[in-house]
Amino acid sequence: MSQSMIEQPNVIYLKDYEVPAFLVEQTELRFELEEDQALVRSQVRYARNPESSNRQHPLLLDGHESLELQRLSIDGEVLSEKDYRRVGEQLSIPNLPDHFTLECITRIEPQNNTALEGLYKSDGMFCTQCEAEGFRRITFYQDRPDVMALFETIVVADKQRYPVLLSNGNMVDAGDEDDGRHWVKWQDPFPKPAYLFALVAGDLECIDDRFTTASGRHVSLKIFAETKDLDKLDYAMTSLKQSMKWDEEVYGREYDLDIFMIVAVDFFNMGAMENKGLNIFNTSCVLAHPETTVDAGFQRVEAVVAHEYFHNWSGNRVTCRDWFQLSLKEGFTVFRDSQFSADMNSPTVKRIEDVALLRTAQFAEDAGPMAHPVRPASFIEISNFYTLTIYEKGCEVVRMLHTLLGAETFRKGSDLYFDRHDGQAVTTDDFVQAMADVSGRDLSRFKLWYSQSGTPQVSVTGEYDAEHQRYTLHMRQSCPATADMATKQPFLIPVAVGLLDAQGDDIPLTGGQTTEVLECVAAEQSFVFDNITVEPTPSLLRDFSAPVKLRFPYSREQLVFLMQHDSDGFNRWDAAQQLAVGIMSELVVDYQQGRTLVLDSALIEAYRQILNDASLDKAMVAKVLTLPSEAYLSELAEVIDVDAIHQVHRFVKDAIATALAPLFLQVYQANTSAEEYSPDATSVARRSLKNLALSYLMTTEQPEYLALALQQFKQADNMTDSQAALTLIAHSGFEAEAAEVLASFYQRWQSESLVVNQWLAVQASDPKPDALARVEALQQHEAYDASNPNKIRSLVSVFCAQNMQNFHNSDGSGYRFLADQIIVLNKQNPQIASRLLTPLTRWKKYSAEQGALMKAELQRINNSGDLSRDVFEVLSKSLA
Ligand code: ARG
Ligand code: ZN
């Protein structure tokens, strides 16, 4: 029996939640940082929790196998080994008084911490990642979010190597020691759970700014990076100031410390972390410069800076009681940052992008073995639950509350929530209760969105009664069984509806409004509209008012009509998607049955109309003319036929390009401007349309368009245009030119790590058949670093998750490659290993032969022994 089977990781259940036996009044930390170790002394003042039922309860401290315990004392008395017990990775100390101070000294080795959880080294600097359970890799502690304490932190390190020493809160003291070392003392005046603790020590520089809050408090803003990246911080600073202002205006939330710091680090498992007063960011989410960053990168920086800043209230001031409540802070904060991005840019485009992600990736999660509700009922490893369901679906659930209550009442609800729970660790029930209290509504059915997993399906039909001038919408809702839950009760689904007359204008509905929010709460329900004088075309689920799959039997003519007339921008886009999905799904069947493919001209004509419509926002045009992705078509398919989807996608794109080439060329030329680069919404829109036009033109593989792309590649003064051209040329059949641009791009950008990542990703996503060999060769390239998550993501994840036809090569080589990577990463960095596994876990959605190959690789990983909790959980659920 393998070890992993003997020590089966425990399942943790929400229903087993108990309050902590002890509360912490104060946590004092002292870090002695050295090259081969760090010594951590913690002095923690404990008090027995009056709310704990058992007055004899021992103190249970979380730890980790990597901790070397050097000393443990209570009120100055050293404990010997018989005074406590080790229970797994925990420490259990019995027979304690009601009040005492525990001192603990641990020795850790940050330089060998490849998991990047707890205290580790990134490119020579010390940094931390404590969410969710990294603090237990630093010292023995009640590492749970409902234990909140005041922190005081002293960091001691060599002054030359680590001139900058940071932690949470305000710097209160500093000094030099005789031996070339120095120290800084930080104090955080707000109680916080350990997951919000942070420390940074390094040779960093910063840009400085300041912000004056609505009530007149002066806040010093600092963004730190390595010297070479100092020129890439301005955009993050602007975004930060905009976020601070926006949160005051829209949510009435002010910043609460005298200083706010962001630090950019190159080795990071996720995007960024909202540690109190000291956010730590993956370089990919904070550095931005026109020469090195694409438009989407700028928008990501803006969104992530806002997200982490907004956590200061939705997450830090009010935090989670336990990790089952993760979406309490994440869903709400994603909702807040999505509102912010919508305000800063185009709301419709932002909505389209968010929904596209939800519908491809989150819906696929619901359909896979890791399906879970927004508030999960159990987990083995919480790191596996930083998912699209917790974040993106969690955001949709908050958005539905906003839709149901209206902006004003929602704001009252958020005010009440922040007020009522400031300084507390609470649950999603508490959040909904605040919304219920301000609205006077019973939201108990609504709460099923938190406890039931799966993507509800809503089938709608319309019935027009000319005699009574009455239009009725019949709705049926159901939710398919998910891996974790067989049956579900009906949800409260807000369906925003408009009715279009024959001219395409909105028919006034109740109270003269043009959009009405229907509340579908039963398995079957009908909604009647009176005084409807002509049979309308319904526009359903406007602005995607609920995270569901809604079906209405539209004809292609109706979809074209909606594309042209719907006053809801989101639904105009969605009509185009539905039109293309319908056509492409039929072509997939044609392809499978060996029929000649013929494209319905309706799609071409609809696209032609859009291209000719000068009144449309350019970003919208680019979105509407983007075909449904292969990933989305895969999610919609019963059984995924990767090859058929890929071939049909190519065919349709090529047919459109061939038919509309002169128009695309016109659009391309009309949007090529010599203006100086700016990441504002209008310029981004112009570039996105221009590069979309170029991508259609390049599909035709005509040399004249290659010439255009080459010219763009050579002349571009910004990374957006340069990378767009690079990708198109590199992925084309013009092999000599492909090799040439890839080489020159690397030559030009080899010293810019984030640009090199893009260069890796372009090659990893190349649809040409030799991609795997290329990826394997690139793993040996000087530019690759197998310990850096950003490099792994750019090469391995992009290949396995985005290069569908190569990853799913019928010889199984893609699967074997991924399994080999995971076996290595399982030991090195379990979080990344487990995330990387995702594509293989979906094996049931493929043909029997393909699925068997995928499953065999999962089993091979399973048999490789010594599985991390992270990988164990995903594997066991995938193989169940
Ligand atoms: N709370 C962070 C955020 O802003 C995510 C950090 C998660 N990190 C992790 N290793 N699980 O969304
Ligand atoms: Zn977050």
Side-chain angles (χ1 to χ4, degrees), residues 126-176:
F126 289 93
C127 64
T128 53
Q129 172 56 38
C130 291
E131 186 180 0
E133 298 180 334
F135 195 76
R136 62 188 60 183
R137 293 171 183 246
I138 292 174
T139 186
F140 287 96
Y141 198 74
Q142 293 184 106
D143 188 9
R144 42 186 290 171
D146 57 352
V147 171
M148 299 170 83
L150 292 170
F151 277 68
E152 193 175 281
T153 304
I154 297 174
V155 188
V156 194
D158 183 81
K159 190 167 185 171
Q160 199 132 42
R161 276 184 211 255
Y162 311 103
V164 174
L165 305 176
L166 310 174
S167 190
N168 318 84
N170 302 309
M171 190 209 274
V172 292
D173 203 0
D176 287 341

Side-chain angles (χ1 to χ4, degrees), residues 620-634:
M620 261 307 275
V621 175
K623 289 292 176 203
V624 171
L625 298 187
T626 300
L627 288 171
S629 67
E630 293 175 49
Y632 182 47
L633 294 169
S634 302

Side-chain angles (χ1 to χ4, degrees), residues 129 131 270 272-274 307-308 311 329-330 386 391 831:
Q129 172 56 38
E131 186 180 0
M270 309 273 286
M273 181 62 212
E274 69 266 24
H307 178 96
E308 306 309 333
H311 267 315
K329 71 178 179 79
E330 296 304 345
Y386 286 74
Y391 278 69
Q831 283 186 8

Side-chain angles (χ1 to χ4, degrees), residues 504-520:
D505 293 324
D506 278 317
I507 299 171
L509 306 175
T510 319
Q513 58 185 344
T514 52
T515 298
E516 197 171 322
V517 178
L518 309 177
E519 299 188 12
C520 182

Side-chain angles (χ1 to χ4, degrees), residues 572-603:
R572 289 182 78 160
W573 169 79
D574 198 36
Q577 289 281 297
Q578 286 186 50
L579 179 67
V581 164
I583 289 170
M584 291 166 97
S585 307
E586 281 182 16
L587 288 170
V588 165
V589 177
D590 289 342
Y591 180 85
Q592 288 166 333
Q593 301 185 350
R595 285 194 287 268
T596 314
L597 301 184
V598 183
L599 180 59
D600 184 339
S601 60
L603 191 61

